[in-house]
Amino acid sequence: MSHPSVPRIGRAFAGLTVVAACSAGLLPATPAAATPDPTHPSGGTPRTATSYPNLARTPPMGWNNWSYYMCDINEEVVLDNARALVRTGLAKKGYDTVTVDDCWMAKQRGPEGELVADPEKFPHGMAYLGRQLHRMGLKFGIYEDVGTATCGKYPGSLGHFQQDADLFAHWKVDYLKADGCNVPVPPGSTKEQAYRDVYGRQSRALEATGRRITFSVSAPAYFQYSGDRLWHQVIGWSAELGNLWRGGADIALEKDTAAKKWSSIAFNFAYNSDLAGLQRPGRWNDPDFLLAGDSGLTQDEIQSQMSLWAVMAAPLISSTDLSALSPGARRVLGNEEIIAVDQDPLGVQGRVVQREEGVTVLSRPLRNSDRAVALFNSGDTARTLSTTASTAGLPDADSYRLRDLVTGRTTHSGQDIVAEEVPPHSTVLYRVGAR
């Protein structure tokens, strides 16, 4: 089922074909049925936001339906994928949050202004869904929009922030992804002020519930092409209002070609890898979903995305049909040594330390004084990649231990860190320590 026609961000960048992403298209006014929001009295000035509780000590992990299923979602699809997380052992490895994205609700609010689950898609309601997930040992995530409507034109939270947050808390929601497709800009305000205001109200409403709800902010994605100064400024306040934030373009959809999927992975990596200076432990840049699964991508490509996301300390949120996961995709998602890099307690995003045509090298400090070093061949032919211990930020030593986290092989080297004949679109991820 296709997502309703909503404009989404899109632009060529670094020679890559960019996939659709949520737009910054705005509706002109709030809904007529909107009720006063107690967190922001009419005519008042938004109070200064304090930092949202640090509820994601390591990057969130789990599953979201959007990239694979879009609006073709229902109770059984969600629960089947949740059971697959448990059955495959992925839940025990950290993939513990199941999030229902757009189109889960009815087109109209209920008689008291409350959100209502679509009775055909979720006949038992969202509280029931949350109970089932919790009984499996999983967390319950849900989607909303801080504007007048969601990207799929379902009811947004504007005018209902506290009412919706209280309802989510009543449903025992653990994670909220808040989009920003339809945020009106009041007269006399800038677009940034409008977004900061509504995301601030959503943040305060969640905190007022008293329930620990991890908050995913989508605001930066609507400023990706507004210039780096403004984009980075939005990321700065998003990191105060929530626990993670979508930085830019959506990852490709299941219906897209394999080539378009790879282009979107490379594009999202390119923008996110340059945002390391804006991340801090417990506050995460989110370059969007993992596509490992029945996607048409090669094993090297899905492994590459996993390795790059891990070295960038990105959330690991799968969006595929987990009930039909191939053995190869399961190995990629379940690689415990790569997950350990992503979830390293230092919580530091890897930085680009070397870049040339078709090659990017990133290095990330890890808790035990090792470094994760990723050598990414984005080109279309195999090539030998190398960097030096000094460039990677390693301490002086006569030799180094290199653990290839994909093959599991350990070798030793001098000052040069080399990966021979790396296939196209592949990433070699080493855990490196001084001998």
Side-chain angles (χ1 to χ4, degrees), residues 61 82-97 136-138:
M61 297 175 63
R83 295 181 191 107
L85 279 178
V86 175
R87 184 175 65 251
T88 60
L90 290 173
K92 286 186 177 180
K93 293 181 179 183
Y95 294 89
D96 62 359
T97 301
M136 295 183 215
L138 301 170

Side-chain angles (χ1 to χ4, degrees), residues 369-432:
S369 298
D370 284 354
R371 284 226 166 216
V373 179
L375 300 97
F376 172 38
N377 176 13
S378 60
D380 295 326
T381 59
R383 60 191 300 179
T384 295
L385 310 182
S386 66
T387 190
T388 66
S390 176
T391 299
L394 289 157
D396 289 337
D398 292 332
S399 64
Y400 300 90
R401 179 189 69 258
L402 274 62
R403 173 76 171 177
D404 185 322
L405 300 187
V406 175
T407 67
R409 292 194 296 268
T410 300
T411 57
H412 300 93
S413 75
Q415 297 301 310
D416 293 326
I417 299 171
V418 179
E420 296 184 352
E421 289 301 302
V422 179
H425 303 176
S426 293
T427 299
V428 174
L429 182 59
Y430 289 130
R431 188 177 186 118
V432 185

Side-chain angles (χ1 to χ4, degrees), residues 19 45 68 80 90 99 130 160 192 194 198 284 302 312 315 379 382 391 410:
V19 298
T45 301
Y68 192 89
D80 282 351
L90 290 173
T99 301
H160 298 268
E192 187 210 358
V198 292
W284 312 107
I302 64 174
M312 293 191 298
T391 299
T410 300

Side-chain angles (χ1 to χ4, degrees), residues 59-60 220 231 235-236 239 243-247 271-280 282-288 309 312-316 342 349-350:
W231 185 31
I235 290 174
N243 305 115
L244 64 157
W245 49 90
R246 284 291 320 285
Y271 80 67
N272 196 74
S273 64
D274 285 337
L275 300 179
L278 303 175
Q279 179 266 349
R280 65 180 187 267
R283 306 285 165 153
W284 312 107
N285 288 313
D286 180 8
D288 214 8
W309 265 227
M312 293 191 298
L316 300 180
D342 181 78
Q349 179 171 331

Side-chain angles (χ1 to χ4, degrees), residues 47 101-102 105 156 174 251 307 416:
R47 64 181 175 85
D101 211 285
D102 203 354
M105 63 186 86
D174 304 296
I251 209 74
S307 296
D416 293 326

Side-chain angles (χ1 to χ4, degrees), residues 212-283:
R212 293 168 62 85
I213 299 177
T214 299
F215 186 25
S216 172
V217 174
S218 293
Y222 294 87
F223 292 83
Q224 185 175 14
Y225 305 119
S226 301
D228 283 355
R229 185 198 63 79
L230 181 55
W231 185 31
H232 294 176
Q233 184 171 301
V234 173
I235 290 174
W237 54 253
S238 295
E240 295 299 321
L241 298 178
N243 305 115
L244 64 157
W245 49 90
R246 284 291 320 285
D250 287 3
I251 209 74
L253 302 171
E254 173 57 23
K255 66 180 182 180
D256 292 326
T257 65
K260 191 170 184 179
K261 289 173 185 174
W262 174 249
S263 289
S264 78
I265 290 170
F267 176 81
N268 285 22
F269 163 73
Y271 80 67
N272 196 74
S273 64
D274 285 337
L275 300 179
L278 303 175
Q279 179 266 349
R280 65 180 187 267
R283 306 285 165 153

Side-chain angles (χ1 to χ4, degrees), residues 122-139:
F122 295 93
H124 297 96
M126 305 313 280
Y128 168 85
L129 184 67
R131 288 194 298 273
Q132 298 309 304
L133 295 173
H134 290 151
R135 285 170 182 166
M136 295 183 215
L138 301 170
K139 298 175 184 177

Side-chain angles (χ1 to χ4, degrees), residues 4-26:
S5 178
V6 177
R8 295 199 172 232
I9 296 167
R11 162 176 149 182
F13 177 81
L16 300 174
T17 302
V18 184
V19 298
C22 275
S23 81
L26 306 174

